[in-house]
Amino acid sequence: MTDIIQLLPDHVANQIAAGEVVQRPASVVKELLENAIDAGATKITLVVKDAGKTLVQVTDNGIGMSVTDARLCFERHATSKIKSADDLFNLHTKGFRGEALASIAAIAHVELKTRTEASEVGTKICIEGSEVTSQEAAVVPKGTTISVKNLFYNIPARRNFLKSNPVETRHIIDEFHRVALAHPQVAFSMLHNNDDVFNLPASNARQRIVNIFGSKTNEKLVPVSEETEIVKVEGFVIKPQYAKKSRGEQFFFVNDRFIKSPYLHHAVSNAFEGLLKDGLQPGYFLFLAVDPHSIDINIHPTKTEIKFDDEHAIYAMLRATIKHSLGQFSIAPVLDFNKDSGFDTPYDYSKKQPVAPTIEVDKNFNPFQKESLQRNNSAGYKREKGSSWESLYVGLKQEEGVVSGLENIEFESEEVSGRLFDTAVDVDGQITFQLHNKYIISPIKSGMMVIHQHLAHQRILYEELLKNITLQEAVSQQLLFPLTLHFSNPDLEILEKVKEQLEHTGFAFSEIGGEQLSINGIPVNLLESQVGDVLERLINDIKEEVPDAGFSQNDLLAKSMAKSMAVRTGTALNRSEQEHLVNQLFACKEPSIAPNNKPVLVTFDVTDFDKKFN
Ligand code: ADP
Ligand code: MG
């Protein structure tokens, strides 16, 4: 048999390597920023167009490259940073694998302009799909500018795989934050489509954090500082009372490199134990310095995971140090999570005369139609044709005389409901009970139905919110004193974009800007104490997925708010609350699935039980 193994041509090898190093525009941002840091730059500018899909450009004032180096830097395994395998365990640079520029040049149009201090003229090189298309002498400032255009131009599958611009921009900003936080002594700026996004002067760690996350962050930081033989820890944790539901600000840096470490995260969470309400996440910016010999960075192509020789000792030290810092700043005693929730009841609500709903709704209008059709196809969910929920109960009443309120389904659905539990539904026979503060069990004609209370309430609120946003008819509860909340400016911009929809749910804003938000009115079924959580989750959800079409943005907003507002698992519901929830659920257009596509309820047949007793 003839030999069949061949060496891959370089450009193919580079494209394959690129698959590992460059997943999205943000990966290019990371590699270029890190190269600029390694080049000793004190000022770095990032310019991005169309979320990096059209252009990612990094300019630095670092050491620059000679003509030969400018040509060589695009070769695979070409690096000035290590010379032998031993150097891998004595790294003082971000890069060392020598594959970033080769990979990027294989899948984009790249232009490099560079000049060293010593030479008067610099070099300009253009390279496309690993082919050098031009090289010439050029008059350029000292330092390096690399422009990466049309990423994945020759790999359409990868290009099509990229997410929407807001999502890709989010990833870029995350990478920018990580490098900028690790190097506060370097000035950074970022422009996106010619708009200034960040302008960070050289400063210290605390100032850098504040410049990125907003001036209100300053008072939230508790300093952490400790040094042992194996590790030095500096940085800050966020005071527990400012903890967020979302992962938010969680940063580990080891020797000035951002890393992900579930293990060390656990150490921090552990130190916060007892200080955070359920479901809240600790925030932290922790800078660890260890002997480069004691870690292995070369375990992942993107170098965001590392292996420590002495992981356990670092864990223990980190936990103890953070506990100590939190204690020293007497965080623990000022916390009072058990305060009387009565204080949070909106003061004006009890006195307020409920406004009789006067909205005339077009009964045939169904904003969910398009969506439920999609669901039927994609999630394989099918609502049985011709089956209506009322029929589940038909006969039950006559047989047992216990159903009440269900015949009012039609009426209920047209009501602009107030808060979930303010209307006691008087029933004269028990038809529901609650199991483990999580499920509501209800007998039905064929057997029994188990309803997930949190998901059911999500469905109810989701339909109601979506209706309000679409019909623009929500009732708002006016606040006696405006509520002021603090957010970073980028987060406020996100809220600004959905301001109108929020107003349709019942929010009224008097001021947005300058890192704060003043609220005069909130939706009727929302507690004032929930407002912060609702908006925070919303910002986060939008950051993660920003749909472009108007309809789906409304949908996202309704889903996000419903999720924050829905009654939690673990909440005890009395009988009339249970009944009310069930009634409202069956007044929904799509009672059986939650907005996140999970089932809201399951039914069990009496015959199933019969079999068990045989
Ligand atoms: P690595 O960073 O792992 O060495 P890269 O492919 O990112 O590999 O870069 C290859 C080489 O190009 C670097 O080792 C460095 O010598 C040079 N280089 C890259 N970017 C710059 C820059 N901004 N300024 C000066 N030299 C650079
Ligand atoms: Mg590099």
Side-chain angles (χ1 to χ4, degrees):
M1 187 178 146
T2 50
D3 300 334
I4 52 172
I5 298 180
Q6 303 177 17
L7 276 177
L8 287 174
D10 261 0
H11 69 274
V12 179
N14 285 340
Q15 254 197 33
I16 293 171
E20 288 189 328
V21 183
V22 186
Q23 274 116 31
R24 50 177 14 123
S27 328
V28 175
V29 169
K30 172 182 190 284
E31 294 298 337
L32 296 186
L33 290 178
E34 290 189 345
N35 279 348
I37 294 283
D38 285 345
T42 56
K43 189 175 182 316
I44 300 176
T45 306
L46 167 66
V47 177
V48 172
K49 292 227 163 84
D50 299 328
K53 293 172 186 171
T54 315
L55 174 74
V56 172
Q57 176 183 297
V58 171
T59 301
D60 69 59
N61 62 354
I63 55 169
M65 283 179 260
S66 68
V67 187
T68 325
D69 283 355
R71 188 72 186 238
L72 256 182
C73 73
F74 293 110
E75 295 295 321
R76 208 143 63 97
H77 309 307
T79 179
S80 55
K81 298 170 193 174
I82 58 170
K83 293 198 169 61
S84 70
D86 289 347
D87 294 343
L88 275 177
F89 297 95
N90 190 18
L91 284 170
H92 297 277
T93 52
K94 299 271 136 357
F96 57 84
R97 295 169 62 111
E99 58 187 5
L101 291 184
S103 302
I104 294 167
I107 50 171
H109 297 150
V110 178
E111 183 192 274
L112 163 72
K113 289 190 220 159
T114 188
R115 181 170 74 80
T116 59
E117 177 104 77
S119 52
E120 268 167 32
V121 232
T123 311
K124 179 179 155 188
I125 292 183
C126 295
I127 178 163
E128 288 179 11
S130 301
E131 293 277 328
V132 175
T133 54
S134 76
Q135 172 167 359
E136 58 200 55
V139 180
V140 290
K142 182 209 147 195
T144 304
T145 295
I146 299 189
S147 313
V148 177
K149 294 177 196 162
N150 310 322
L151 188 67
F152 298 133
Y153 79 98
N154 52 356
I155 317 182
R158 295 294 292 271
R159 201 171 164 87
N160 295 339
F161 198 65
L162 292 176
K163 294 265 168 62
S164 68
N165 282 3
V167 173
E168 293 299 339
T169 306
R170 193 65 239 157
H171 285 287
I172 289 176
I173 290 177
D174 283 347
E175 293 296 351
F176 180 83
H177 282 169
R178 291 166 183 177
V179 181
L181 284 169
H183 300 278
Q185 71 289 356
V186 176
F188 283 90
S189 48
M190 173 175 169
L191 285 102
H192 188 201
N193 295 337
N194 299 325
D195 295 333
D196 268 327
V197 185
F198 289 102
N199 217 328
L200 310 170
S203 60
N204 60 24
R206 184 176 201 123
Q207 199 56 48
R208 177 58 49 97
I209 293 171
V210 170
N211 286 340
I212 293 180
F213 295 102
S215 60
K216 288 287 163 216
T217 319
N218 199 20
E219 69 200 53
K220 300 181 186 171
L221 302 177
V222 178
V224 174
S225 174
E226 184 64 82
E227 184 164 5
T228 67
E229 266 179 22
I230 53 158
V231 58
K232 182 174 161 213
V233 181
E234 298 277 351
F236 304 90
V237 290
I238 304 232
K239 290 180 188 166
Q241 66 264 43
Y242 297 110
K244 293 183 176 177
K245 283 226 173 87
S246 54
R247 286 177 54 83
E249 284 91 50
Q250 298 181 340
F251 295 91
F252 281 118
F253 301 90
V254 173
N255 296 356
D256 297 335
R257 182 193 303 279
F258 170 83
I259 59 141
K260 294 178 184 157
S261 170
Y263 184 67
L264 295 185
H265 171 80
H266 192 268
V268 179
S269 300
N270 205 303
F272 270 85
E273 206 173 85
L275 296 174
L276 294 179
K277 273 200 279 186
D278 260 7
L280 293 190
Q281 294 269 353
Y284 50 84
F285 305 86
L286 293 168
F287 301 83
L288 282 68
V290 295
D291 181 347
H293 291 99
S294 74
I295 48 173
D296 187 354
I297 304 166
N298 197 22
I299 56 173
H300 195 269
T302 61
K303 298 168 287 195
T304 46
E305 284 163 43
I306 64 176
K307 210 166 128 321
F308 295 93
D309 282 355
D310 208 345
E311 220 174 30
H312 297 299
I314 294 178
Y315 181 102
M317 190 275 196
L318 200 58
R319 189 183 60 173
T321 306
I322 292 172
K323 267 200 160 147
H324 178 73
S325 301
L326 287 170
Q328 227 183 13
F329 281 77
S330 52
I331 304 301
V334 302
L335 280 179
D336 182 9
F337 288 131
N338 299 322
K339 79 178 161 112
D340 186 352
S341 59
F343 289 130
D344 291 331
T345 314
Y347 26 80
D348 58 343
Y349 195 72
S350 50
K351 297 182 203 83
K352 205 166 157 179
Q353 280 302 310
V355 189
T358 52
I359 300 166
E360 271 304 308
V361 183
D362 171 8
K363 286 194 180 173
N364 296 323
F365 173 73
N366 181 355
F368 312 97
Q369 208 142 44
K370 183 171 152 211
E371 208 209 354
S372 58
L373 278 177
Q374 278 168 358
R375 236 182 230 142
N376 285 347
N377 299 337
S378 60
Y381 171 81
K382 278 234 160 63
R383 192 173 166 176
E384 261 178 69
K385 234 187 165 168
S387 85
S388 84
W389 288 103
E390 294 85 334
S391 70
L392 283 172
Y393 288 92
V394 168
L396 192 65
K397 193 178 176 191
Q398 290 91 326
E399 278 162 37
E400 297 164 19
V402 286
V403 180
S404 153
L406 287 162
E407 56 272 46
N408 293 335
I409 283 171
E410 268 301 297
F411 170 71
E412 286 271 338
S413 73
E414 307 308 327
E415 184 189 64
V416 177
S417 62
R419 278 176 303 149
L420 177 57
F421 305 131
D422 53 3
T423 345
V425 177
D426 207 3
V427 282
D428 42 20
Q430 176 153 6
I431 61 158
T432 62
F433 73 93
Q434 197 185 16
L435 186 70
H436 292 190
N437 290 346
K438 184 173 185 184
Y439 297 108
I440 297 172
I441 314 282
S442 169
I444 52 171
K445 191 184 158 203
S446 61
M448 148 183 131
M449 178 161 58
V450 180
I451 299 170
H452 192 290
Q453 67 185 45
H454 175 63
L455 294 177
H457 198 200
Q458 268 194 41
R459 164 51 64 181
I460 296 164
L461 291 166
Y462 166 73
E463 293 202 5
E464 187 184 311
L465 286 160
L466 200 52
K467 188 170 88 180
N468 289 345
I469 300 170
T470 332
L471 300 183
Q472 313 182 0
E473 297 267 16
V475 184
S476 171
Q477 48 171 328
Q478 287 300 303
L479 300 177
L480 207 52
F481 303 104
L483 180 68
T484 302
L485 297 174
H486 297 282
F487 290 99
S488 69
N489 282 334
D491 284 357
L492 282 182
E493 270 172 38
I494 291 179
L495 287 180
E496 185 95 56
K497 291 207 181 96
V498 291
K499 180 168 171 251
E500 215 176 297
Q501 286 108 314
L502 283 171
E503 284 169 348
H504 295 150
T505 68
F507 275 104
F509 304 103
S510 55
E511 205 188 310
I512 302 184
E515 295 187 354
Q516 68 181 44
L517 178 69
S518 296
I519 303 174
N520 291 340
I522 58 177
V524 272
N525 43 9
L526 186 64
L527 292 174
E528 202 175 332
S529 58
Q530 292 177 307
V531 175
D533 283 351
V534 167
L535 294 180
E536 201 182 286
R537 183 195 292 267
L538 180 65
I539 291 169
N540 227 52
D541 286 349
I542 294 179
K543 275 183 196 166
E544 254 147 47
E545 203 58 65
V546 187
D548 306 306
F551 178 80
S552 44
Q553 182 146 46
N554 293 347
D555 187 66
L556 177 98
L557 194 115
K559 268 186 193 147
S560 171
M561 286 180 65
K563 199 164 173 197
S564 321
M565 290 160 64
V567 60
R568 306 264 143 224
T569 292
T571 311
L573 303 178
N574 67 29
R575 218 177 78 200
S576 62
E577 289 167 346
Q578 296 165 30
E579 308 278 341
H580 192 55
L581 187 82
V582 174
N583 287 349
Q584 284 200 315
L585 179 66
F586 289 115
C588 286
K589 318 256 178 197
E590 199 79 69
S592 59
I593 26 166
N596 59 6
N597 277 342
K598 288 192 183 152
V600 168
L601 51 91
V602 286
T603 55
F604 296 92
D605 241 39
V606 175
T607 50
D608 293 338
F609 296 122
D610 292 344
K611 280 183 209 138
K612 301 245 179 224
F613 289 98
N614 265 326

